[in-house]
Amino acid sequence: MPPGGETVVGKGFRFVSLLLASLSLLIATPLAADEFRSPSLTALRVDWRAALDQLRTEINGRPRVAGDFVFAPRRTVPRYDPRAMPALVQLNAVSSRFFTGITRSPVPVLLPFDAAAYLEAQRSGATATLALSRYQADFNPVDMFDAGPAGYSATFSLEPGAGDGMPVRVFTRPVEVQITGSALVYDIADPAGGKGEPVKPLATTYPDLRRFIREGYVRYAFTRFGVAYVVSIQCLDSVAKPRRLACKEASPVAERFLKALRVAGGQRMRPLTDIASNILDRPAGRSPDFSYRPSGDIIPNTGYRKQGGHPDAMAYAQIRFPLEKAPAFVRSQSYAKRDRTESMTAYPWRDNFCESRSFEVWQCAGGYGHQGEDIRAADCPPPGEGREPCDPKQRGVVAVRDAIVIRASKDQAATLQVNSRTEHIRFRYMHMNPQAMNADGVLNGRIVTEGEKIGVISNYLDHPAGTSMHLHFDVQVFTRDGWIWVSPYVTLVSAYERLIRARGREVGPEIAVTAQPVAHALPEDVIKPDLREGSGGEEN
C-alpha cells in the first residue's frame, strides 16, 4: 500500500460502495406525494461534419455553376472551394430570404428546398421558372417557420392534385406537412415510444426511419447528423372522406416530402447540455383555501371505457398561469354534474386530462383522453359598494411564456412555442374567438411576452356558444416520436401557486367531498368570486 493511502483497487471498491449506498438512499426515500419535479431532457450531439459532407455532395453533385456555389460533375474531383466563402454561409444567404431566422437553428435544417437549383435559375435569368414551389417538390411554405436554440419547426402544404405521380386523392383541401428537428428531446415515461414500422422504399436514405400513427398524426421519425427529426401529417386512421384526410392518403404526401429534403441551413453553435430533473421550488407559505386533488384523480367513470386517470407529478415548465387573475378553477366542463363537489367555481381543483374524448392521448389508459385541462374563472360577484365592475365575457387570458405564436387565421386554437437552450415545448389555448384573435394579430410568427394579454375566456367551439365559458389549456413536449401530449395539471398547480404566492394543499377523496370557500387577498392579481354554482356545458 502507498504510504498514507489506499490501493487503486481499494479506492475503486470504496467508490462503488458509496455509489450503491447513494442509490439505496434514493430508492428508500421516494418523492413526497405532494412534491413536483421538473422534466429531464437529453441534449443530442450534432454531427456538423456529416451535415457539411452531405451539403458538399449536394452542391458538387451538379454539373453547373450557380453564383458563389461551385459545381462539378460527379465523375470529376469535387471543386467546392471553401476559401471563397464557406458553403453553409452561402446556403444560409439564399435560404434566409424565404425562411427568416434559419441561422438561429443549432441543428442542420432539413427542408424540401433545392437552394442550389433555385440560385442557378436566378443567375441564369430564368425568371419564369422561379416559382418557389418548383424547387420545393410542389410544396408551398406555410407562414410558420421557427428556428431557435433547441432546433426548428416548419410547416408546408401540398395543394390537391399537385405533384407528378401522386395518387388521386379524395381530400379537397391542401395537405399540411410539419417537420421538426431538435437537439433537445424530453425524457418522458412513454411505453408506446420508439415503436413503428420501417419504410423500405426510403431505407437507403433514412436507415432508421420509423412510420407510425400516433395521437392523430401519421409520423415519420428518423435520426440524421445525431439530430432527432419528425415529419408528420394530421389524419384519421379511417376511410378517405372529402373533409377528413385519411392516413393512407397522407403517407404518400409525407414520403414525397421526405424524398425532397435537403440541408437548407443552420449554424454551428455551442453544444447543448443534458438537463436533469429536480424537485421544484414552491412558495413556503400555505394558502388558507387553495386545494387540489391529486394528479390523475379524475371524476370516477369519466375516463375512456371507465378507466382512471394518469398520475403525473411533473411540472413540465415554469409558466405564468394562463388566466389573468385568480381565483380560477381547473374543473371538468363535460362531467361536472357527476362531481360530488358540484360547483365549478370552488376548490378543490380536479384533474380532467384523461376524461373520455375521441382524441388520442397515449399517456391515458386505452389511448384516448381530453389532451388538456379545462380552466374556469370565478363568477362575477353581484354589484356592491367598492367592487370593481366585472364582465364575465372579458376575463383576460395571457401568454404563459415568452414565445412564438403558431396559428392560422381560421384556427380556433392558438399555440405558443418555446424554443430555447433548455426547453422545446408548446402550450395550446382553445375556445377563444378566432375573429377576436385575428383582430389582435394573434397569428403565425407573432412574438408574445409572458403575461401579455392574448384574448379573453370564451365559449367558441367551431361556432360561438359551442361550449361553456372556459379555457382549454394543454402542453406538448418534443420527443423522438415528435410532439406528444403530456398532462398539464401539475404545471398549472405550480403556476397558480406562484400567482397567489402561496402553496396549495393536496386533498384526498375522503376529505374533498365539500367545496371549500375562496378568500384570497392579493388585489393586483385577484378578483373576489361569487360562489354560486356556474353553469355546465359540454366540450365537444
Side-chain angles (χ1 to χ4, degrees):
M1 177 183 294
E6 295 178 277
T7 64
V8 173
V9 173
K11 288 182 178 180
F13 179 79
R14 185 161 61 90
F15 172 77
V16 171
S17 299
L18 289 171
L19 178 62
L20 291 174
S22 299
L23 291 173
S24 299
L25 181 62
L26 287 172
I27 295 171
T29 55
L31 190 68
D34 65 342
E35 293 294 347
F36 304 151
R37 278 199 178 277
S38 63
S40 65
L41 294 88
T42 296
L44 306 177
R45 185 168 293 276
V46 183
D47 186 354
W48 270 102
R49 177 170 298 189
L52 292 173
D53 286 345
Q54 178 171 320
L55 175 58
R56 289 163 188 153
T57 299
E58 292 173 357
I59 291 174
N60 293 323
R62 298 174 182 277
R64 53 186 181 260
V65 176
D68 293 328
F69 287 85
V70 183
F71 303 100
R74 292 182 186 277
R75 64 178 179 272
T76 65
V77 177
R79 292 175 49 219
Y80 164 70
D81 183 6
R83 292 172 300 175
M85 186 182 294
L88 190 59
V89 175
Q90 298 177 51
L91 182 64
N92 284 328
V94 177
S95 301
S96 60
R97 302 174 193 173
F98 313 109
F99 308 104
T100 303
I102 197 169
T103 56
R104 291 195 293 263
S105 173
V107 306
V109 177
L110 295 180
L111 297 176
F113 179 50
D114 191 338
Y118 179 87
L119 188 56
E120 180 188 22
Q122 185 184 54
R123 290 288 186 177
S124 64
T127 55
T129 61
L130 283 178
L132 197 56
S133 62
R134 179 185 178 92
Y135 304 93
Q136 295 181 154
D138 295 312
F139 288 95
N140 295 307
V142 176
D143 189 17
M144 172 51 216
F145 179 81
D146 173 48
Y152 76 99
S153 293
T155 304
F156 290 77
S157 67
L158 186 69
E159 295 290 334
D164 296 337
M166 293 297 293
V168 176
R169 290 180 284 114
V170 175
F171 192 60
T172 58
R173 290 177 292 178
V175 178
E176 288 198 353
V177 187
Q178 302 176 21
I179 182 170
T180 295
S182 184
L184 279 181
V185 291
Y186 281 73
D187 305 320
I188 62 174
D190 187 7
K195 297 180 179 180
E197 59 185 12
V199 185
K200 292 182 180 178
L202 298 175
T204 302
T205 308
Y206 303 101
D208 67 342
L209 184 65
R210 296 180 288 121
R211 177 192 181 276
F212 53 99
I213 297 172
R214 181 163 188 183
E215 297 189 344
Y217 288 81
V218 61
R219 305 179 185 216
Y220 291 75
F222 61 96
T223 303
R224 177 66 64 86
F225 320 123
V227 176
Y229 295 91
V230 180
V231 171
S232 59
I233 300 177
Q234 190 172 22
C235 60
L236 290 178
D237 193 10
S238 64
V239 298
K241 298 178 181 179
R243 293 190 144 201
R244 295 293 182 96
L245 181 69
C247 290
K248 67 179 181 180
E249 295 179 294
S251 293
V253 179
E255 290 173 23
R256 180 185 183 87
F257 188 88
L258 285 158
K259 291 175 184 177
L261 290 179
R262 302 284 186 276
V263 177
Q267 188 146 305
R268 298 177 100 161
M269 298 182 187
R270 181 164 52 96
L272 302 176
T273 56
D274 290 350
I275 299 167
S277 175
N278 293 302
I279 297 177
L280 255 59
D281 288 332
R282 300 165 68 188
R286 290 278 182 176
S287 167
D289 28 51
F290 173 47
S291 61
Y292 59 93
R293 297 171 78 104
S295 172
D297 181 20
I298 63 175
I299 299 171
N301 299 321
T302 61
Y304 177 69
R305 293 183 176 175
K306 298 186 178 181
Q307 298 188 64
H310 171 67
D312 188 348
M314 197 73 68
Y316 287 92
Q318 296 292 291
I319 63 171
R320 201 279 188 202
F321 192 71
L323 267 59
E324 190 172 28
K325 294 183 177 181
F329 308 94
V330 173
R331 304 298 293 269
S332 170
Q333 297 298 296
S334 297
Y335 297 97
K337 293 181 180 178
R338 299 190 193 180
D339 193 341
R340 289 178 296 172
T341 60
E342 296 182 349
S343 175
M344 287 185 285
T345 53
Y347 299 128
W349 283 10
R350 191 160 203 166
D351 190 359
N352 51 90
F353 175 65
C354 285
E355 284 186 348
S356 183
R357 301 288 196 282
S358 61
F359 313 131
E360 288 190 359
V361 186
W362 285 29
Q363 292 283 301
C364 297
Y368 289 89
H370 185 195
Q371 295 181 337
E373 302 286 351
D374 290 340
I375 309 173
R376 195 178 183 99
D379 294 327
C380 282
E385 185 177 350
R387 289 179 177 153
E388 294 183 5
C390 175
D391 184 347
K393 295 183 179 180
Q394 294 298 320
R395 301 296 180 86
V397 173
V398 300
V400 295
R401 292 286 296 278
D402 296 351
I404 188 171
V405 174
I406 302 175
R407 180 182 171 269
S409 60
K410 295 181 180 179
D411 292 348
Q412 66 163 323
T415 298
L416 306 188
Q417 179 167 286
V418 176
N419 181 345
S420 72
R421 291 186 61 84
T422 57
E423 293 177 296
H424 210 176
I425 189 168
R426 290 175 172 175
F427 308 99
R428 187 177 65 164
Y429 301 68
M430 294 182 69
H431 305 315
M432 294 187 293
N433 189 296
Q435 286 75 33
M437 287 191 285
N438 292 347
D440 291 339
V442 183
L443 294 162
N444 276 335
R446 163 87 174 268
I447 303 297
V448 294
T449 58
E450 182 174 321
E452 178 182 345
K453 188 173 179 179
I454 60 173
V456 296
I457 295 174
S458 188
N459 58 359
Y460 200 94
L461 185 66
D462 297 327
H463 58 84
T467 183
S468 59
M469 293 285 292
H470 72 284
L471 178 73
H472 171 101
F473 181 83
D474 53 48
V475 174
Q476 287 179 296
V477 296
F478 189 78
T479 73
R480 290 185 182 272
D481 279 6
W483 294 98
I484 299 298
W485 305 108
V486 291
S487 172
Y489 185 70
V490 167
T491 304
L492 288 169
V493 171
S494 175
Y496 194 70
E497 289 180 333
R498 288 190 295 278
L499 178 65
I500 64 174
R501 305 190 191 112
R503 185 166 178 160
R505 179 168 54 94
E506 184 177 296
V507 295
E510 71 283 356
I511 56 174
V513 295
T514 304
Q516 299 174 32
V518 182
H520 294 304
L522 298 172
E524 68 275 24
D525 291 324
V526 178
I527 54 177
K528 294 183 179 180
D530 177 10
L531 293 182
R532 296 173 299 178
E533 282 193 18
S535 58
E538 292 292 319
E539 183 176 329
N540 299 325

